[in-house]
Amino acid sequence: MVDPVYEVLARSALVSLTASLVAAAIGIPLGTWLALARIPGRGFVTAVVNTGMAVPTVVVGLFVALMLWRSGPLGELNLIYTVRGMVIAQVLLATPLITSITMAAVQLLPPELPGHLRSLGANRWQVVVRIWVEAKLPLLAAAMAGFGHAISEVGAATIVGGNIHGQTQVMTTAIVENVGRGEFGAALVYGGVLLALAFLVNGLLSSVQQRSGAWARN
Amino acid sequence: MGAELTVRDVRVARGGRQVLAVDHLDVKASEHLFVLGPNGAGKTTLLRLLSAVDRPDRGDVEVDGVPTRRLGLEERRRIGYVTQRPALLGTTVLRNLELPLRWRGLPRERRRALALAALERLQVAHLAQRPALRLSGGEQQRVNIARSLACDPDLLLLDEPAAGLDPEARAIFFTDLERALADRAVTTVQVTHRPEEALRHADRLVVLVDGAVRQVDTPEMISRMPADAAVATVMGYDNLLTARVTPDGAVLVGEWPTGLHTDDLGPGPAVVAAFANAVRIVPSGRGGLPAVVRGVSPGRGHRVVLLDARLPGERVPLVSHLGVDAPAPAPGEAVCIWFDDALSAVLR
């Protein structure tokens, strides 16, 4: 049985958008902290985060699958071959990317800005929020990059999700399956739809980004 | 009522090098204190300590008796800090002013009224709806100060607020700033490297050189009696010469008389500090310090005469300002120099 395209599309969008949101919720605060904190070993943590961007998706998939496997340390959670398991894998893929871009974005702001905000009477939380507002354009770029990385990956989705029709099949795994069967027409349809989804989401974020940028230039 | 400040045994080091050492400094409530010093003297470092943004490696900075490291949020909000670079936020001018007031929990109408009043005081109310980052440097600095004033601080710290403005714009800027502060009992500490601004606006002056306080006094006293040659340089003395005080108090440069006399210093080595308009040029052979005219050029309301004082084994460059109507010597001409007592200082 073959899933209708819209169902696979909806599942892809659900998994990748959820993973991107969770990764942003982790990566943006983490990147901000790494950019602002004066702690010993920050260089090492930064190197680890940057290495995370280069880890192959199949390696992340393998790691998550081993964790979630029935006999693995998190086996009791029954997340292997589930959408939630795939979200976990994609969070691990997108978080280093978002963290790293956030860190660079915050470091590009005037270094005196946090102290300046404190001197204006901001508490810690107000300082952080204002820093995010000032860096909103690159932070949107970070979110877009995270989503792009999540929606386009196939290795982790295959290993952790298992490409089960009606349950865990997403656009990328459907393309691989169709190419494997020699059904290039169907694979092209999935590819086109996936491209359209990526374009839609990124177009939306880009328009927000450009509007903010245009305001700042006026 | 403005805040009182006390700095005690403060030390700050950067990269293993001590950049600030202040043993003791008091700032009285509602006083206008200026911190004067050359670039790299530690002025901004001191101001950041006073603002509670940075903490000293050693010692204490107290605001109304409370060390800055123990200041709570509400106490920190009594301090306004105007940085040298305006550091405005990427939103409208009005929102730049309203945001700190929102952080203080003020209702929207009150925020708007205070922000507009502060912009009005600094003559920039017409810019309220403009994107802050698109303003000129001078406009940004006015908005920066208005933002601090809108919060009605008890202590206002200003770090070279007119940096980057041309002389005419600086004069207008300081007049407007003075007017904006006129009816406020706010203590101000202002950093500058321009002695003329400190002399005009300060109640008291701190001269900082190489991270150390060299002199604290009224502008008149520091200008008239700089503590040492470094302070004299900071205060804008144009000429410094190694001299000697004789037992009867006469001040000689080499073996030549200078026209100066001191009863305050005993006999021994000294330094003569003289403003350019203290250097009187007389024809050669009329006594005084022999010199040769190196060049004459027009100045603002005077003529600038560059000279080489001829001392045994060396030539010491000097500068003199002559009135535009006074007869100017020709380049290469041998002349003699006397110093005007009222515009010179003899230092140890």
mmCIF file of all heavy atoms in Angstrom, chain A residues 112 116, chain B residues 33-40 42-49 51 80-86 141 144-145 148 156-164 170 173-174 177 188-193 197:
data_model
loop_
_atom_site.group_PDB
_atom_site.id
_atom_site.type_symbol
_atom_site.label_atom_id
_atom_site.label_comp_id
_atom_site.label_asym_id
_atom_site.label_seq_id
_atom_site.Cartn_x
_atom_site.Cartn_y
_atom_site.Cartn_z
ATOM 1 N N GLU A 112 29.529 45.681 23.742
ATOM 2 C CA GLU A 112 29.113 46.426 24.937
ATOM 3 C C GLU A 112 27.600 46.374 25.147
ATOM 4 O O GLU A 112 27.095 46.896 26.133
ATOM 5 C CB GLU A 112 29.589 47.884 24.873
ATOM 6 C CG GLU A 112 29.011 48.726 23.762
ATOM 7 C CD GLU A 112 29.802 48.641 22.473
ATOM 8 O OE1 GLU A 112 30.578 47.676 22.295
ATOM 9 O OE2 GLU A 112 29.629 49.522 21.616
ATOM 10 N N HIS A 116 25.394 47.504 28.318
ATOM 11 C CA HIS A 116 24.613 48.711 28.071
ATOM 12 C C HIS A 116 23.147 48.495 28.473
ATOM 13 O O HIS A 116 22.533 49.361 29.099
ATOM 14 C CB HIS A 116 24.715 49.067 26.594
ATOM 15 C CG HIS A 116 24.120 50.383 26.260
ATOM 16 N ND1 HIS A 116 24.696 51.566 26.637
ATOM 17 C CD2 HIS A 116 22.986 50.707 25.627
ATOM 18 C CE1 HIS A 116 23.942 52.562 26.239
ATOM 19 N NE2 HIS A 116 22.895 52.078 25.613
ATOM 20 N N LEU B 33 31.207 66.319 38.375
ATOM 21 C CA LEU B 33 32.631 65.959 38.387
ATOM 22 C C LEU B 33 33.055 65.589 36.966
ATOM 23 O O LEU B 33 32.354 64.851 36.273
ATOM 24 C CB LEU B 33 32.858 64.767 39.322
ATOM 25 C CG LEU B 33 34.308 64.327 39.470
ATOM 26 C CD1 LEU B 33 35.009 65.160 40.533
ATOM 27 C CD2 LEU B 33 34.399 62.856 39.854
ATOM 28 N N PHE B 34 34.194 66.097 36.547
ATOM 29 C CA PHE B 34 34.742 65.719 35.243
ATOM 30 C C PHE B 34 35.993 64.873 35.456
ATOM 31 O O PHE B 34 36.785 65.171 36.360
ATOM 32 C CB PHE B 34 35.096 66.957 34.414
ATOM 33 C CG PHE B 34 33.958 67.441 33.561
ATOM 34 C CD1 PHE B 34 32.789 67.888 34.153
ATOM 35 C CD2 PHE B 34 34.062 67.452 32.180
ATOM 36 C CE1 PHE B 34 31.737 68.335 33.370
ATOM 37 C CE2 PHE B 34 33.015 67.884 31.393
ATOM 38 C CZ PHE B 34 31.849 68.335 31.985
ATOM 39 N N VAL B 35 36.135 63.847 34.651
ATOM 40 C CA VAL B 35 37.349 63.024 34.670
ATOM 41 C C VAL B 35 38.099 63.321 33.378
ATOM 42 O O VAL B 35 37.577 63.100 32.279
ATOM 43 C CB VAL B 35 37.007 61.517 34.748
ATOM 44 C CG1 VAL B 35 38.289 60.696 34.783
ATOM 45 C CG2 VAL B 35 36.151 61.236 35.965
ATOM 46 N N LEU B 36 39.283 63.858 33.543
ATOM 47 C CA LEU B 36 40.065 64.321 32.393
ATOM 48 C C LEU B 36 41.335 63.478 32.291
ATOM 49 O O LEU B 36 41.967 63.185 33.306
ATOM 50 C CB LEU B 36 40.415 65.795 32.629
ATOM 51 C CG LEU B 36 41.089 66.577 31.522
ATOM 52 C CD1 LEU B 36 40.177 66.726 30.323
ATOM 53 C CD2 LEU B 36 41.465 67.975 32.037
ATOM 54 N N GLY B 37 41.689 63.116 31.088
ATOM 55 C CA GLY B 37 42.931 62.359 30.921
ATOM 56 C C GLY B 37 43.148 62.031 29.463
ATOM 57 O O GLY B 37 42.208 62.096 28.662
ATOM 58 N N PRO B 38 44.394 61.683 29.111
ATOM 59 C CA PRO B 38 44.661 61.323 27.711
ATOM 60 C C PRO B 38 44.038 59.974 27.367
ATOM 61 O O PRO B 38 43.534 59.265 28.250
ATOM 62 C CB PRO B 38 46.187 61.247 27.659
ATOM 63 C CG PRO B 38 46.596 60.946 29.067
ATOM 64 C CD PRO B 38 45.573 61.553 29.954
ATOM 65 N N ASN B 39 44.059 59.606 26.080
ATOM 66 C CA ASN B 39 43.549 58.295 25.672
ATOM 67 C C ASN B 39 44.302 57.197 26.414
ATOM 68 O O ASN B 39 45.513 57.265 26.580
ATOM 69 C CB ASN B 39 43.735 58.092 24.153
ATOM 70 C CG ASN B 39 42.822 59.005 23.368
ATOM 71 O OD1 ASN B 39 41.777 59.420 23.861
ATOM 72 N ND2 ASN B 39 43.226 59.326 22.145
ATOM 73 N N GLY B 40 43.573 56.185 26.863
ATOM 74 C CA GLY B 40 44.199 55.060 27.550
ATOM 75 C C GLY B 40 44.522 55.325 29.010
ATOM 76 O O GLY B 40 45.222 54.541 29.650
ATOM 77 N N GLY B 42 42.415 55.305 31.483
ATOM 78 C CA GLY B 42 41.562 54.516 32.378
ATOM 79 C C GLY B 42 40.245 55.213 32.698
ATOM 80 O O GLY B 42 39.534 54.805 33.619
ATOM 81 N N LYS B 43 39.909 56.241 31.928
ATOM 82 C CA LYS B 43 38.699 57.023 32.205
ATOM 83 C C LYS B 43 37.435 56.164 32.041
ATOM 84 O O LYS B 43 36.570 56.130 32.916
ATOM 85 C CB LYS B 43 38.606 58.246 31.270
ATOM 86 C CG LYS B 43 39.823 59.143 31.280
ATOM 87 C CD LYS B 43 39.627 60.371 30.430
ATOM 88 C CE LYS B 43 39.476 60.117 28.944
ATOM 89 N NZ LYS B 43 40.658 59.619 28.270
ATOM 90 N N THR B 44 37.344 55.478 30.906
ATOM 91 C CA THR B 44 36.158 54.647 30.657
ATOM 92 C C THR B 44 36.095 53.482 31.638
ATOM 93 O O THR B 44 35.018 53.111 32.106
ATOM 94 C CB THR B 44 36.164 54.135 29.200
ATOM 95 O OG1 THR B 44 36.124 55.273 28.333
ATOM 96 C CG2 THR B 44 34.979 53.238 28.905
ATOM 97 N N THR B 45 37.254 52.928 31.981
ATOM 98 C CA THR B 45 37.298 51.839 32.965
ATOM 99 C C THR B 45 36.707 52.316 34.281
ATOM 100 O O THR B 45 35.902 51.612 34.907
ATOM 101 C CB THR B 45 38.761 51.378 33.179
ATOM 102 O OG1 THR B 45 39.302 51.026 31.906
ATOM 103 C CG2 THR B 45 38.844 50.187 34.110
ATOM 104 N N LEU B 46 37.090 53.535 34.699
ATOM 105 C CA LEU B 46 36.554 54.092 35.950
ATOM 106 C C LEU B 46 35.043 54.290 35.848
ATOM 107 O O LEU B 46 34.296 53.927 36.762
ATOM 108 C CB LEU B 46 37.251 55.426 36.257
ATOM 109 C CG LEU B 46 36.726 56.196 37.467
ATOM 110 C CD1 LEU B 46 36.934 55.387 38.746
ATOM 111 C CD2 LEU B 46 37.413 57.559 37.604
ATOM 112 N N LEU B 47 34.599 54.812 34.699
ATOM 113 C CA LEU B 47 33.168 55.084 34.538
ATOM 114 C C LEU B 47 32.349 53.791 34.552
ATOM 115 O O LEU B 47 31.252 53.737 35.117
ATOM 116 C CB LEU B 47 32.936 55.848 33.223
ATOM 117 C CG LEU B 47 31.801 56.856 33.240
ATOM 118 C CD1 LEU B 47 32.076 57.927 34.276
ATOM 119 C CD2 LEU B 47 31.591 57.488 31.891
ATOM 120 N N ARG B 48 32.889 52.743 33.944
ATOM 121 C CA ARG B 48 32.176 51.450 33.939
ATOM 122 C C ARG B 48 32.079 50.871 35.357
ATOM 123 O O ARG B 48 31.111 50.207 35.686
ATOM 124 C CB ARG B 48 32.873 50.457 32.997
ATOM 125 C CG ARG B 48 32.629 50.774 31.520
ATOM 126 C CD ARG B 48 33.402 49.842 30.606
ATOM 127 N NE ARG B 48 32.907 48.474 30.663
ATOM 128 C CZ ARG B 48 31.913 47.999 29.932
ATOM 129 N NH1 ARG B 48 31.284 48.774 29.092
ATOM 130 N NH2 ARG B 48 31.531 46.741 30.039
ATOM 131 N N LEU B 49 33.083 51.144 36.176
ATOM 132 C CA LEU B 49 33.002 50.703 37.572
ATOM 133 C C LEU B 49 31.916 51.490 38.302
ATOM 134 O O LEU B 49 31.122 50.922 39.056
ATOM 135 C CB LEU B 49 34.332 50.913 38.294
ATOM 136 C CG LEU B 49 35.545 50.120 37.811
ATOM 137 C CD1 LEU B 49 36.745 50.459 38.676
ATOM 138 C CD2 LEU B 49 35.275 48.627 37.856
ATOM 139 N N SER B 51 29.331 52.779 37.046
ATOM 140 C CA SER B 51 28.006 52.434 36.525
ATOM 141 C C SER B 51 27.542 51.065 36.999
ATOM 142 O O SER B 51 26.418 50.665 36.703
ATOM 143 C CB SER B 51 28.034 52.435 34.995
ATOM 144 O OG SER B 51 28.765 51.317 34.531
ATOM 145 N N GLY B 80 22.265 56.309 35.455
ATOM 146 C CA GLY B 80 22.190 56.435 33.994
ATOM 147 C C GLY B 80 23.598 56.458 33.437
ATOM 148 O O GLY B 80 24.458 57.166 33.957
ATOM 149 N N TYR B 81 23.841 55.669 32.404
ATOM 150 C CA TYR B 81 25.192 55.573 31.837
ATOM 151 C C TYR B 81 25.114 55.847 30.332
ATOM 152 O O TYR B 81 24.527 55.079 29.591
ATOM 153 C CB TYR B 81 25.747 54.174 32.132
ATOM 154 C CG TYR B 81 27.132 53.902 31.577
ATOM 155 C CD1 TYR B 81 28.062 54.921 31.403
ATOM 156 C CD2 TYR B 81 27.521 52.611 31.254
ATOM 157 C CE1 TYR B 81 29.323 54.670 30.907
ATOM 158 C CE2 TYR B 81 28.789 52.335 30.761
ATOM 159 C CZ TYR B 81 29.679 53.366 30.594
ATOM 160 O OH TYR B 81 30.936 53.105 30.096
ATOM 161 N N VAL B 82 25.710 56.951 29.929
ATOM 162 C CA VAL B 82 25.716 57.329 28.509
ATOM 163 C C VAL B 82 27.079 56.954 27.944
ATOM 164 O O VAL B 82 28.093 57.548 28.304
ATOM 165 C CB VAL B 82 25.466 58.842 28.354
ATOM 166 C CG1 VAL B 82 25.565 59.252 26.893
ATOM 167 C CG2 VAL B 82 24.093 59.205 28.922
ATOM 168 N N THR B 83 27.083 55.939 27.092
ATOM 169 C CA THR B 83 28.348 55.429 26.560
ATOM 170 C C THR B 83 28.855 56.326 25.428
ATOM 171 O O THR B 83 28.090 57.084 24.834
ATOM 172 C CB THR B 83 28.158 54.003 26.009
ATOM 173 O OG1 THR B 83 27.002 54.005 25.177
ATOM 174 C CG2 THR B 83 27.963 53.011 27.127
ATOM 175 N N GLN B 84 30.143 56.188 25.142
ATOM 176 C CA GLN B 84 30.734 57.009 24.085
ATOM 177 C C GLN B 84 30.097 56.701 22.734
ATOM 178 O O GLN B 84 29.784 57.597 21.969
ATOM 179 C CB GLN B 84 32.239 56.757 24.035
ATOM 180 C CG GLN B 84 32.967 57.724 23.140
ATOM 181 C CD GLN B 84 34.474 57.539 23.229
ATOM 182 O OE1 GLN B 84 34.981 56.858 24.103
ATOM 183 N NE2 GLN B 84 35.187 58.139 22.325
ATOM 184 N N ARG B 85 29.907 55.399 22.464
ATOM 185 C CA ARG B 85 29.156 55.007 21.258
ATOM 186 C C ARG B 85 27.702 54.875 21.687
ATOM 187 O O ARG B 85 27.407 54.148 22.641
ATOM 188 C CB ARG B 85 29.674 53.662 20.740
ATOM 189 C CG ARG B 85 30.852 53.836 19.786
ATOM 190 C CD ARG B 85 31.478 52.522 19.435
ATOM 191 N NE ARG B 85 30.529 51.537 18.946
ATOM 192 C CZ ARG B 85 30.857 50.276 18.674
ATOM 193 N NH1 ARG B 85 32.074 49.867 18.875
ATOM 194 N NH2 ARG B 85 29.960 49.427 18.231
ATOM 195 N N PRO B 86 26.771 55.540 21.001
ATOM 196 C CA PRO B 86 25.400 55.616 21.509
ATOM 197 C C PRO B 86 24.712 54.277 21.772
ATOM 198 O O PRO B 86 23.906 54.185 22.675
ATOM 199 C CB PRO B 86 24.675 56.393 20.408
ATOM 200 C CG PRO B 86 25.743 57.225 19.785
ATOM 201 C CD PRO B 86 26.976 56.397 19.839
ATOM 202 N N GLN B 141 23.589 60.598 19.726
ATOM 203 C CA GLN B 141 24.087 60.846 21.076
ATOM 204 C C GLN B 141 23.074 61.647 21.892
ATOM 205 O O GLN B 141 22.910 61.417 23.088
ATOM 206 C CB GLN B 141 25.445 61.569 20.997
ATOM 207 C CG GLN B 141 26.236 61.541 22.280
ATOM 208 C CD GLN B 141 26.433 60.149 22.877
ATOM 209 O OE1 GLN B 141 25.500 59.531 23.409
ATOM 210 N NE2 GLN B 141 27.642 59.632 22.787
ATOM 211 N N ASN B 144 20.600 59.202 22.952
ATOM 212 C CA ASN B 144 21.222 58.369 23.986
ATOM 213 C C ASN B 144 21.112 59.036 25.360
ATOM 214 O O ASN B 144 20.761 58.401 26.362
ATOM 215 C CB ASN B 144 22.696 58.166 23.606
ATOM 216 C CG ASN B 144 23.352 57.023 24.338
ATOM 217 O OD1 ASN B 144 22.667 56.110 24.814
ATOM 218 N ND2 ASN B 144 24.657 57.056 24.437
ATOM 219 N N ILE B 145 21.410 60.335 25.398
ATOM 220 C CA ILE B 145 21.327 61.072 26.671
ATOM 221 C C ILE B 145 19.869 61.221 27.094
ATOM 222 O O ILE B 145 19.539 61.050 28.277
ATOM 223 C CB ILE B 145 22.020 62.443 26.541
ATOM 224 C CG1 ILE B 145 23.512 62.233 26.311
ATOM 225 C CG2 ILE B 145 21.795 63.290 27.785
ATOM 226 C CD1 ILE B 145 24.282 63.478 26.011
ATOM 227 N N SER B 148 18.659 58.230 28.897
ATOM 228 C CA SER B 148 19.066 58.167 30.310
ATOM 229 C C SER B 148 18.278 59.159 31.157
ATOM 230 O O SER B 148 17.866 58.844 32.270
ATOM 231 C CB SER B 148 20.565 58.462 30.437
ATOM 232 O OG SER B 148 21.297 57.329 30.067
ATOM 233 N N LEU B 156 24.263 60.348 36.853
ATOM 234 C CA LEU B 156 24.379 60.273 35.398
ATOM 235 C C LEU B 156 25.859 60.243 35.027
ATOM 236 O O LEU B 156 26.615 61.151 35.383
ATOM 237 C CB LEU B 156 23.695 61.486 34.757
ATOM 238 C CG LEU B 156 23.655 61.514 33.228
ATOM 239 C CD1 LEU B 156 22.881 60.325 32.669
ATOM 240 C CD2 LEU B 156 23.029 62.813 32.720
ATOM 241 N N LEU B 157 26.248 59.183 34.327
ATOM 242 C CA LEU B 157 27.639 59.005 33.923
ATOM 243 C C LEU B 157 27.720 59.215 32.420
ATOM 244 O O LEU B 157 26.987 58.562 31.665
ATOM 245 C CB LEU B 157 28.118 57.597 34.293
ATOM 246 C CG LEU B 157 27.883 57.211 35.757
ATOM 247 C CD1 LEU B 157 28.051 55.724 35.952
ATOM 248 C CD2 LEU B 157 28.834 57.979 36.658
ATOM 249 N N LEU B 158 28.585 60.110 31.992
ATOM 250 C CA LEU B 158 28.671 60.443 30.561
ATOM 251 C C LEU B 158 30.096 60.206 30.069
ATOM 252 O O LEU B 158 31.039 60.832 30.569
ATOM 253 C CB LEU B 158 28.275 61.904 30.335
ATOM 254 C CG LEU B 158 26.863 62.279 30.777
ATOM 255 C CD1 LEU B 158 26.926 63.452 31.751
ATOM 256 C CD2 LEU B 158 25.993 62.639 29.606
ATOM 257 N N ASP B 159 30.233 59.325 29.109
ATOM 258 C CA ASP B 159 31.551 58.976 28.576
ATOM 259 C C ASP B 159 31.760 59.687 27.242
ATOM 260 O O ASP B 159 31.259 59.233 26.216
ATOM 261 C CB ASP B 159 31.658 57.457 28.401
ATOM 262 C CG ASP B 159 33.078 57.017 28.112
ATOM 263 O OD1 ASP B 159 33.949 57.897 27.942
ATOM 264 O OD2 ASP B 159 33.316 55.798 28.050
ATOM 265 N N GLU B 160 32.510 60.772 27.274
ATOM 266 C CA GLU B 160 32.785 61.574 26.073
ATOM 267 C C GLU B 160 31.527 61.709 25.221
ATOM 268 O O GLU B 160 31.497 61.279 24.059
ATOM 269 C CB GLU B 160 33.897 60.915 25.233
ATOM 270 C CG GLU B 160 35.160 60.642 26.022
ATOM 271 C CD GLU B 160 36.350 61.431 25.533
ATOM 272 O OE1 GLU B 160 36.155 62.392 24.796
ATOM 273 O OE2 GLU B 160 37.463 61.083 25.943
ATOM 274 N N PRO B 161 30.463 62.310 25.744
ATOM 275 C CA PRO B 161 29.188 62.296 25.030
ATOM 276 C C PRO B 161 29.217 63.056 23.711
ATOM 277 O O PRO B 161 28.377 62.806 22.852
ATOM 278 C CB PRO B 161 28.217 62.957 26.017
ATOM 279 C CG PRO B 161 29.067 63.788 26.897
ATOM 280 C CD PRO B 161 30.374 63.070 26.997
ATOM 281 N N ALA B 162 30.163 63.985 23.547
ATOM 282 C CA ALA B 162 30.192 64.761 22.307
ATOM 283 C C ALA B 162 31.293 64.291 21.367
ATOM 284 O O ALA B 162 31.654 65.005 20.437
ATOM 285 C CB ALA B 162 30.374 66.235 22.632
ATOM 286 N N ALA B 163 31.801 63.079 21.601
ATOM 287 C CA ALA B 163 32.876 62.558 20.740
ATOM 288 C C ALA B 163 32.383 62.509 19.298
ATOM 289 O O ALA B 163 31.257 62.106 19.034
ATOM 290 C CB ALA B 163 33.282 61.171 21.210
ATOM 291 N N GLY B 164 33.210 62.907 18.386
ATOM 292 C CA GLY B 164 32.862 62.822 16.970
ATOM 293 C C GLY B 164 32.134 64.047 16.446
ATOM 294 O O GLY B 164 31.877 64.136 15.242
ATOM 295 N N ARG B 170 29.672 70.689 19.133
ATOM 296 C CA ARG B 170 29.992 70.357 20.536
ATOM 297 C C ARG B 170 29.498 71.461 21.463
ATOM 298 O O ARG B 170 28.910 71.199 22.507
ATOM 299 C CB ARG B 170 31.512 70.206 20.723
ATOM 300 C CG ARG B 170 32.098 68.984 20.107
ATOM 301 C CD ARG B 170 33.613 68.962 20.325
ATOM 302 N NE ARG B 170 33.934 68.467 21.655
ATOM 303 C CZ ARG B 170 34.169 67.197 21.934
ATOM 304 N NH1 ARG B 170 34.128 66.292 20.973
ATOM 305 N NH2 ARG B 170 34.439 66.819 23.164
ATOM 306 N N PHE B 173 25.814 71.292 21.707
ATOM 307 C CA PHE B 173 25.470 70.074 22.438
ATOM 308 C C PHE B 173 25.603 70.292 23.952
ATOM 309 O O PHE B 173 24.720 69.957 24.727
ATOM 310 C CB PHE B 173 26.395 68.946 21.963
ATOM 311 C CG PHE B 173 26.209 67.653 22.686
ATOM 312 C CD1 PHE B 173 25.265 66.743 22.270
ATOM 313 C CD2 PHE B 173 26.983 67.347 23.798
ATOM 314 C CE1 PHE B 173 25.096 65.550 22.939
ATOM 315 C CE2 PHE B 173 26.814 66.165 24.472
ATOM 316 C CZ PHE B 173 25.874 65.261 24.035
ATOM 317 N N PHE B 174 26.724 70.891 24.367
ATOM 318 C CA PHE B 174 26.943 71.080 25.813
ATOM 319 C C PHE B 174 25.984 72.118 26.396
ATOM 320 O O PHE B 174 25.558 71.988 27.538
ATOM 321 C CB PHE B 174 28.407 71.465 26.080
ATOM 322 C CG PHE B 174 29.307 70.266 26.119
ATOM 323 C CD1 PHE B 174 30.231 70.028 25.119
ATOM 324 C CD2 PHE B 174 29.211 69.353 27.159
ATOM 325 C CE1 PHE B 174 31.043 68.904 25.150
ATOM 326 C CE2 PHE B 174 30.018 68.223 27.201
ATOM 327 C CZ PHE B 174 30.940 67.992 26.188
ATOM 328 N N LEU B 177 22.841 70.228 26.838
ATOM 329 C CA LEU B 177 22.970 69.277 27.944
ATOM 330 C C LEU B 177 22.862 70.010 29.285
ATOM 331 O O LEU B 177 22.168 69.561 30.201
ATOM 332 C CB LEU B 177 24.310 68.546 27.841
ATOM 333 C CG LEU B 177 24.632 67.550 28.955
ATOM 334 C CD1 LEU B 177 23.600 66.430 28.992
ATOM 335 C CD2 LEU B 177 26.036 66.967 28.782
ATOM 336 N N THR B 188 26.577 64.153 38.385
ATOM 337 C CA THR B 188 27.091 63.731 37.077
ATOM 338 C C THR B 188 28.600 63.509 37.149
ATOM 339 O O THR B 188 29.311 64.251 37.840
ATOM 340 C CB THR B 188 26.802 64.764 35.954
ATOM 341 O OG1 THR B 188 27.512 65.959 36.229
ATOM 342 C CG2 THR B 188 25.320 65.051 35.826
ATOM 343 N N VAL B 189 29.026 62.473 36.482
ATOM 344 C CA VAL B 189 30.460 62.234 36.291
ATOM 345 C C VAL B 189 30.671 62.137 34.793
ATOM 346 O O VAL B 189 30.059 61.297 34.123
ATOM 347 C CB VAL B 189 30.934 60.933 36.978
ATOM 348 C CG1 VAL B 189 32.428 60.732 36.736
ATOM 349 C CG2 VAL B 189 30.637 60.972 38.465
ATOM 350 N N GLN B 190 31.474 63.027 34.266
ATOM 351 C CA GLN B 190 31.640 63.096 32.821
ATOM 352 C C GLN B 190 33.102 62.927 32.441
ATOM 353 O O GLN B 190 33.982 63.581 33.008
ATOM 354 C CB GLN B 190 31.105 64.446 32.327
ATOM 355 C CG GLN B 190 31.061 64.547 30.820
ATOM 356 C CD GLN B 190 30.203 65.717 30.375
ATOM 357 O OE1 GLN B 190 29.187 66.019 30.985
ATOM 358 N NE2 GLN B 190 30.588 66.375 29.307
ATOM 359 N N VAL B 191 33.322 62.064 31.480
ATOM 360 C CA VAL B 191 34.678 61.786 31.006
ATOM 361 C C VAL B 191 34.963 62.638 29.776
ATOM 362 O O VAL B 191 34.107 62.782 28.910
ATOM 363 C CB VAL B 191 34.787 60.287 30.649
ATOM 364 C CG1 VAL B 191 35.895 60.050 29.656
ATOM 365 C CG2 VAL B 191 35.021 59.463 31.904
ATOM 366 N N THR B 192 36.128 63.209 29.719
ATOM 367 C CA THR B 192 36.530 63.956 28.520
ATOM 368 C C THR B 192 38.048 63.970 28.424
ATOM 369 O O THR B 192 38.737 63.697 29.401
ATOM 370 C CB THR B 192 35.987 65.401 28.555
ATOM 371 O OG1 THR B 192 36.325 66.054 27.335
ATOM 372 C CG2 THR B 192 36.563 66.200 29.711
ATOM 373 N N HIS B 193 38.556 64.242 27.220
ATOM 374 C CA HIS B 193 40.002 64.471 27.137
ATOM 375 C C HIS B 193 40.256 65.915 26.701
ATOM 376 O O HIS B 193 41.384 66.282 26.362
ATOM 377 C CB HIS B 193 40.659 63.467 26.187
ATOM 378 C CG HIS B 193 40.233 63.587 24.770
ATOM 379 N ND1 HIS B 193 39.114 62.970 24.282
ATOM 380 C CD2 HIS B 193 40.755 64.287 23.746
ATOM 381 C CE1 HIS B 193 38.975 63.270 23.010
ATOM 382 N NE2 HIS B 193 39.955 64.077 22.656
ATOM 383 N N GLU B 197 36.473 71.881 27.918
ATOM 384 C CA GLU B 197 35.108 71.500 28.302
ATOM 385 C C GLU B 197 35.026 71.264 29.804
ATOM 386 O O GLU B 197 34.067 71.667 30.460
ATOM 387 C CB GLU B 197 34.683 70.243 27.547
ATOM 388 C CG GLU B 197 34.353 70.551 26.094
ATOM 389 C CD GLU B 197 34.283 69.321 25.214
ATOM 390 O OE1 GLU B 197 34.401 68.197 25.745
ATOM 391 O OE2 GLU B 197 34.128 69.488 23.996
#
